[in-house]
Amino acid sequence: MGWSYLPHTDNDRKAMLAAIGVAATDDLFQDVPANLRLNRPLDLPPALSEPELIKNLQALAKANISMEDAVCFLGAGAYDHFIPSVIDHIIRRSEFYTAYTQYQPEIAQGYLQALWEFQSLICEITGMAVANASMYDGGTAVAEAAMMACAASGRNKVITAAAVHPHYRNILESYGLDRGFISSEAGFVDGVTDRDQLEKMLDDSTAAVIIQSPNFFGSIEDIKTLAQIAHARGAYLITVVDPISLGLLESPGALGVDIVVGEGQGLGLALAYGGPYLGFFAATEKLMRKLPGRIVGQTQDHAGNRGFVLTLQAREQHIRREKATSNICSNQALCALTAAIYLSTVGKQGFREVASQCVQKANYAYRELQKLNGCEVVFSAPFFKEFVVRLSKPVAKVNKALRAKGIVGGLDLGSYYPGMDNCMLLCVTEKRSKAEIDRLVSEMGAIL
Amino acid sequence: MNRNQAIIFEMSVPGRQALNLPQCDVPTLEIETLIPAEFLRKADAQLPEVSQPDLIRHYTNLSKRNFGLDSGFYPLGSCTMKYNPKVNEDVARYPGFAHIHPLQDSESSQGALELLYTMEQYLAEIAGMDAVTLQPAAGAHGELAGLKLIRAYHRSRGEARTKVIVPDSAHGTNPASATVCGLEIVEIKSHADGSVDLEALKAAVGPDTAALMLTNPSTLGLFETNIEEIANIVHAAGGLLYYDGANANAVMGIVRPGDMGFDVVHFNLHKTFSTPHGGGGPGSGPVGVKKTLIPFLPTPVIAFDGKNYALDYDRPQSIGRMHSFYGNFGVIVRAYAYILAMGPDGLRQASEDAVLNANYCLSQLKEDFYSPFDRYCMHECIVTSKNQKQFGVKTLDIAKRLLDYGYHPPTIYFPLIVEEAIMIEPTETESKETLDGFIQAMRAIATEAKTDVSQILSSPSNTVVGRLDETTAARKPVVRWKA
């Protein structure tokens, strides 16, 4: 049989073998020792035609409950925000998604400009001077930020708030173990980082303090004060932010933060079972030449036309090789493009509006849920779009009952934090309608 | 030709918008009663204000200023730019794949877990390995995960091995990944014929050797014939063998890294398994391991009890997490669809055709361009501009001139050990006609080098911008828009 992705006919193959001067394709593999060759076909299912392929994958897709068929109140690092239609139409243009990294700038101006615009948009929302053209996801961006802070400060201790996403802390630990930096955790009080404990933990070998805001519980941290505490001991303050929250919350740049990272999935990327997502990474001007990853710079050609190139490549792995501070090569360029389209689509007003609706709707759900017997709030700190409730029944049990009603409930915090059994982290985005929230409340009421 | 395309910020007009949002339908409260004023933004982020038609035109115009694989031939060595099947784009967007939450319970995500589990089996079979993790988000991320697995293995045996041997022809990510993993690099010189110098390797290994990182076929596009002996030398010293899968497109169904003696391997799904590069990602870099390394795989691991799929977090020896969730799932869906469409025979045919195409290009280009290795190549070949040097034409000039002929240039100046290298990887999805057109263009440039150097040196001349001033870009970086 033939394969539609392979153009050669047997005649083509014969003609090419003749031009090379060999009798058979096998002759081209003469360098592969005979005893190493696989003398059987790979043990894989036989090839499927396109209609068969579609059926096969449709069946797998249908074995999952999609958020198109359920009402989602689950967040915890992956969010069901509204995705404007324009996005997929643009990123499905094959000039974008089938392109390679922009090593030949003259025929990659479109992508280079779009990534430069992405960097600019990230700088606008974070209030930072410089951003790179993306990291793998929020969690790896945190680890890269810690590595950069250690390298830039010549110190090797990193203090992370326990209210930072547990998965991000896992990645940090995994990176830190071999990289040789020491990580410790500062606890929380009433849903926000314990300031006094943090202050005591800091010393002159602390490279960075990592704070998430809104943190894993959805609470908003007092970043300005935490930055002052870190800076007093010469440590960098790294914040992990939800980009959507920056429509309303003060920019980290204005609060004295040195490095801002985060998960960009909320900026127009599908949930997609956890990936592909988008890590963003921004910093002060002083740190520009220490940033990991790719950076696009503006320049001009000999005729004075504005143009864009990958720049500051002395930082990167293919130039400095073993001296590189990061090994990131392929990044999440198409996801960065997605985020840039999202931010330009919602625009100045829409960006504020999405954030405002998250706060209003989450607070409405919070107020209504409190009225239920068997559901009490846990923290009093101000929050953005997520909050914690303690239930009178195990979270897994409640979620199962909710799922039967077409609702995906919140995260079970008991498996992440000791002492938080029966605690549920709920998320309400701008996409949830009043009717959906009311349904959640009434179903919860019936279950509890 | 439109030489300038406005920056989106330059198009902004206060009051325009590209999206209508619904009215907030819950009872609202004054924002300051919900969030203290000190935490609120004093000034709005200055995002562009554009209408939807203008937004669409902006990005459409940008796309027209970009070369993608669907626009033309992309013979990038070690990057494997093959055709991206369209059906894969459709399946990845099925709601049951695109709109599922990574933390929803496993009962409601059996299809996704089954796909991941099955994909692990498929890749393990193709690699000749015992288990695979799909967590790494790119090849370099896979390298880091693989080296962490190797470190964890040595650590579990109470051995402090801190050195990684890499050939001087290695991909730049290899030394960088080792450094990020806290390991030291020992670089060994290649033999004149491009292979690993066995004597140099023997001198380099020792009780401190954690691993040898190798790609086979090598970055020179040549098969490392002595691979068994290389494996023996490294294993005898107590080290492990790491396979960089960047060049795996040459060997599918023909020879497997696991059978060659490799202990750890990463694949680049965005190369060998036809998922789009996306202009620099998302990629996906699954890592395969031999049995002894299974306890160290990143968490969670996909488990199957014969009936149900689940996520297993109970892995006490695990290196931990490498990604916030389970890797680039959407990319894995596309690669899974590719494997199903090709089947065992199709994958082998793909590798055979890739090797055929590279040798065909090499055989046709050898007359005009210098070929440093007198051997059959694997899926990519190297020529150089040595013959053109006498006319003042360098490899960069040839690359830029190719742009005028409508081709994306090959990889240039890599591997670093070949002077003025031009590394051509045609891939199996290119027809003979496409290759002939490219060969003709290369020959025409070789002729121009003899007759009309000025045209080459001033190229490209029909792109939207000419050669760009990269020095100024780096010395006086302008990396963001400022009003």
Side-chain angles (χ1 to χ4, degrees):
Chain A
M1 75 172 267
W3 288 271
S4 56
Y5 312 150
L6 305 178
H8 291 338
T9 62
D10 284 343
N11 280 340
D12 292 330
R13 293 189 182 104
K14 266 183 216 152
M16 293 167 79
L17 288 168
I20 298 165
V22 292
T25 313
D26 208 39
D27 296 344
L28 301 172
F29 288 90
Q30 60 185 232
D31 286 347
V32 181
N35 64 315
L36 290 182
R37 296 197 199 189
L38 187 69
N39 52 15
R40 59 165 176 87
L42 286 166
D43 183 13
L44 297 171
L48 298 183
S49 65
E50 188 163 310
E52 292 165 324
L53 179 70
I54 287 171
K55 263 198 181 151
N56 182 304
L57 281 141
Q58 272 174 347
L60 282 173
K62 282 180 184 155
N64 304 311
I65 292 180
S66 112
M67 295 309 139
E68 280 195 353
D69 297 325
V71 185
C72 180
F73 290 96
L74 183 57
Y79 300 103
D80 186 28
H81 285 292
F82 177 72
I83 301 174
S85 283
V86 292
I87 289 180
D88 205 41
H89 285 271
I90 297 167
I91 64 163
R92 276 192 95 150
R93 287 192 69 89
S94 68
E95 299 88 343
F96 287 133
Y97 83 87
T98 75
Y100 194 70
T101 305
Q102 300 74 29
Y103 291 137
Q104 298 291 340
E106 296 88 351
I107 52 169
Q109 283 303 298
Y111 223 128
L112 285 162
Q113 181 173 330
L115 290 173
W116 190 84
E117 290 179 1
F118 166 78
Q119 291 169 187
S120 304
L121 290 159
I122 293 296
C123 288
E124 283 297 333
I125 65 171
T126 58
M128 303 305 285
V130 52
N132 74 8
S134 82
M135 315 297 291
Y136 303 132
D137 68 4
T140 56
V142 172
E144 293 276 358
M147 288 199 294
M148 184 179 93
C150 289
S153 64
R155 301 176 176 189
N156 71 341
K157 277 193 197 162
V158 175
I159 302 173
T160 312
V164 169
H165 197 303
H167 295 182
Y168 299 180
R169 282 182 285 126
N170 294 157
I171 297 172
L172 191 68
E173 208 178 309
S174 178
Y175 272 62
L177 173 67
D178 294 316
R179 182 69 179 179
F181 64 80
I182 302 153
S183 191
S184 55
E185 285 180 7
F188 52 90
V189 178
D190 196 22
V192 292
T193 299
D194 184 340
R195 224 185 278 174
D196 296 336
Q197 193 195 355
L198 174 70
E199 207 156 11
K200 281 184 203 126
M201 290 171 74
L202 272 156
D203 64 31
D204 294 341
S205 60
T206 308
V209 173
I210 305 178
I211 304 289
Q212 184 171 356
S213 182
N215 64 28
F216 189 63
F217 307 119
S219 311
I220 299 163
E221 298 269 7
D222 182 359
I223 293 297
K224 195 173 183 178
T225 306
L226 294 167
Q228 285 162 359
I229 291 172
H231 291 162
R233 299 306 289 263
Y236 289 110
L237 188 78
I238 299 169
T239 59
V240 188
V241 300
D242 175 352
I244 293 288
S245 75
L246 298 177
L248 208 53
L249 300 185
E250 186 55 286
S251 76
L255 298 170
V257 171
D258 303 287
I259 305 166
V260 182
V261 293
E263 175 53 65
Q265 177 267 329
L267 303 173
L269 287 154
L271 284 166
Y273 208 50
Y277 283 3
L278 166 70
F280 59 87
F281 194 114
T284 56
E285 180 132 29
K286 236 170 65 186
L287 291 165
M288 186 190 312
R289 286 170 195 274
K290 298 199 158 49
L291 251 58
R294 295 193 173 117
I295 298 177
V296 179
Q298 185 187 304
T299 186
Q300 52 185 30
D301 69 5
H302 52 84
N305 298 305
R306 177 164 69 191
F308 300 90
V309 293
L310 293 175
T311 193
L312 305 176
Q313 293 190 72
R315 303 162 298 110
E316 286 192 79
Q317 43 81 18
H318 56 278
I319 306 283
R320 298 225 310 175
R321 292 170 72 95
E322 75 278 3
K323 289 193 190 71
T325 50
S326 158
N327 72 331
I328 190 166
C329 182
S330 285
N331 52 11
Q332 302 286 116
L334 196 68
C335 303
L337 175 63
T338 303
I341 301 164
Y342 178 87
L343 288 169
S344 301
T345 302
V346 295
K348 187 177 161 182
Q349 298 301 330
F351 189 51
R352 169 175 277 270
E353 181 63 20
V354 170
S356 302
Q357 291 205 16
C358 286
V359 173
Q360 294 291 353
K361 290 180 171 182
N363 266 282
Y364 172 70
Y366 179 80
R367 292 195 302 269
E368 294 299 307
L369 284 166
Q370 275 181 71
K371 295 175 186 166
L372 298 178
N373 283 326
C375 177
E376 57 185 45
V377 298
V378 176
F379 304 127
S380 65
F383 60 92
F384 179 63
K385 68 186 179 197
E386 288 176 284
F387 58 88
V388 181
V389 289
R390 179 172 271 122
L391 307 176
S392 57
K393 289 186 175 158
V395 174
K397 215 169 164 182
V398 174
N399 273 338
K400 201 168 178 182
L402 284 173
R403 186 148 58 72
K405 302 286 180 187
I407 294 170
V408 172
L411 187 78
D412 186 351
L413 284 173
S415 47
Y416 288 100
Y417 292 91
M420 293 194 81
D421 290 337
N422 287 14
C423 287
M424 183 190 264
L425 176 68
L426 282 154
C427 172
V428 187
T429 68
E430 88 289 355
K431 208 173 149 184
R432 295 288 74 83
S433 66
K434 178 171 181 294
E436 288 172 339
I437 298 167
D438 290 344
R439 239 182 81 207
L440 169 77
V441 175
S442 86
E443 296 296 349
M444 282 271 254
I447 296 161
L448 295 172
Chain B
M1 193 188 321
N2 176 15
R3 293 213 174 262
N4 271 307
Q5 169 67 29
I7 308 290
I8 191 121
F9 293 91
E10 292 168 346
M11 297 162 57
S12 180
V13 174
R16 286 194 182 144
Q17 60 182 52
L19 180 70
N20 295 328
L21 288 163
Q23 290 290 315
C24 188
D25 63 351
V26 299
T28 59
L29 296 175
E30 276 297 315
I31 200 82
E32 286 81 3
T33 64
L34 302 173
I35 298 172
E38 62 193 282
F39 293 161
L40 295 173
R41 213 165 171 126
K42 306 291 173 293
D44 282 335
Q46 295 302 301
L47 298 184
E49 295 173 86
V50 295
S51 70
Q52 198 172 109
D54 285 342
L55 176 101
I56 288 292
R57 264 189 206 149
H58 175 69
Y59 284 106
T60 304
N61 287 333
L62 287 183
S63 77
K64 288 196 222 156
R65 295 160 71 88
N66 216 70
F67 189 94
L69 189 61
D70 288 0
S71 319
F73 184 35
Y74 234 117
L76 268 179
S78 274
C79 299
T80 313
M81 291 293 286
K82 61 169 76 174
Y83 171 68
N84 310 135
K86 301 304 153 193
V87 65
N88 297 356
E89 293 305 307
D90 292 344
V91 300
R93 285 168 173 83
Y94 290 162
F97 292 140
H99 304 302
I100 51 176
H101 194 290
L103 298 171
Q104 71 190 66
D105 57 42
S106 58
E107 274 172 65
S108 68
S109 48
Q110 285 294 301
L113 290 168
E114 182 183 339
L115 187 148
L116 292 173
Y117 184 85
T118 314
M119 185 64 168
E120 288 178 0
Q121 312 294 311
Y122 291 172
L123 292 176
E125 165 66 5
I126 295 166
M129 291 284 165
D130 296 313
V132 167
T133 172
L134 300 169
Q135 239 185 72
H141 200 212
E143 289 176 24
L144 180 59
L147 289 171
K148 283 184 173 297
L149 290 165
I150 289 169
R151 285 207 81 171
Y153 166 82
H154 291 311
R155 204 179 284 130
S156 76
R157 295 159 54 94
E159 293 187 7
R161 292 172 174 266
T162 55
K163 290 190 175 156
V164 172
I165 303 170
V166 291
D168 54 3
S169 64
H171 291 122
T173 47
N174 293 173
S177 299
T179 304
V180 172
C181 197
L183 293 158
E184 273 173 72
I185 304 299
V186 181
E187 191 174 274
I188 51 167
K189 294 250 174 291
S190 296
H191 205 267
D193 68 2
S195 59
V196 170
D197 186 324
L198 294 180
E199 294 312 311
L201 177 62
K202 278 178 196 158
V205 295
D208 55 0
T209 302
L212 167 72
M213 292 183 94
L214 205 63
T215 178
N216 193 19
S218 71
T219 53
L220 304 167
L222 304 173
F223 195 84
E224 200 73 67
T225 306
N226 296 322
I227 184 61
E228 280 178 294
E229 196 172 348
I230 292 169
N232 288 339
I233 294 168
V234 176
H235 284 152
L240 296 179
L241 248 71
Y242 181 96
Y243 184 88
D244 175 337
N247 295 344
N249 203 44
V251 297
M252 286 186 292
I254 295 163
V255 55
R256 308 190 302 173
D259 300 338
M260 292 187 230
F262 287 92
D263 304 286
V264 181
V265 43
H266 88 256
F267 281 123
N268 303 74
L269 298 188
H270 49 290
K271 295 180 181 178
T272 315
F273 299 94
S274 89
T275 68
H277 274 69
S284 176
V287 171
V289 295
K290 288 279 179 67
K291 206 171 279 159
T292 44
L293 291 145
I294 290 176
F296 312 106
L297 287 173
T299 49
V301 165
I302 320 286
F304 181 53
D305 64 5
K307 215 171 144 200
N308 293 306
Y309 298 90
L311 293 164
D312 178 9
Y313 287 89
D314 186 20
R315 316 281 297 183
Q317 288 186 282
S318 166
I319 59 166
R321 244 179 212 286
M322 290 300 292
H323 188 266
S324 300
F325 297 104
Y326 326 115
N328 283 339
F329 177 74
V331 178
I332 295 163
V333 172
R334 289 168 172 86
Y336 179 80
Y338 174 74
I339 292 174
L340 287 186
M342 297 300 279
D345 302 334
L347 291 180
R348 188 185 166 106
Q349 190 67 60
S351 287
E352 285 185 2
D353 285 354
V355 171
L356 176 67
N357 279 1
N359 278 289
Y360 180 70
C361 285
L362 181 61
S363 71
Q364 303 305 298
L365 291 171
K366 261 199 301 208
E367 266 176 49
D368 295 296
F369 294 89
Y370 176 71
S371 155
F373 305 104
D374 188 25
R375 287 165 65 176
Y376 295 124
C377 62
M378 297 300 280
H379 66 308
E380 56 194 2
C381 65
I382 293 177
V383 294
T384 81
S385 58
K386 193 175 176 183
N387 299 345
Q388 285 71 40
K389 199 176 169 187
Q390 54 184 311
F391 309 112
V393 172
K394 298 192 299 280
T395 287
L396 181 72
D397 304 315
I398 294 169
K400 296 303 178 196
R401 184 65 180 142
L402 266 172
L403 298 176
D404 286 338
Y405 283 90
Y407 295 97
H408 193 284
T411 295
I412 54 173
Y413 298 102
F414 182 82
L416 306 173
I417 55 172
V418 177
E419 205 182 332
E420 298 287 331
I422 302 173
M423 190 184 200
I424 300 162
E425 181 178 5
T427 88
E428 73 281 4
T429 61
E430 301 302 334
S431 67
K432 180 172 180 294
E433 291 82 354
T434 301
L435 301 186
D436 286 338
F438 173 74
I439 290 158
Q440 260 175 32
M442 287 290 283
R443 283 183 176 159
I445 295 169
T447 306
E448 286 171 2
K450 293 177 199 159
T451 58
D452 187 10
V453 182
S454 66
Q455 193 151 24
I456 301 181
L457 299 183
S458 63
S459 63
S461 53
N462 60 15
T463 46
V464 290
V465 290
R467 288 197 207 185
L468 291 154
D469 182 357
E470 304 205 19
T471 312
T472 305
R475 285 206 185 129
K476 295 179 188 160
V478 179
V479 296
R480 60 167 295 192
W481 165 258
K482 271 183 197 147

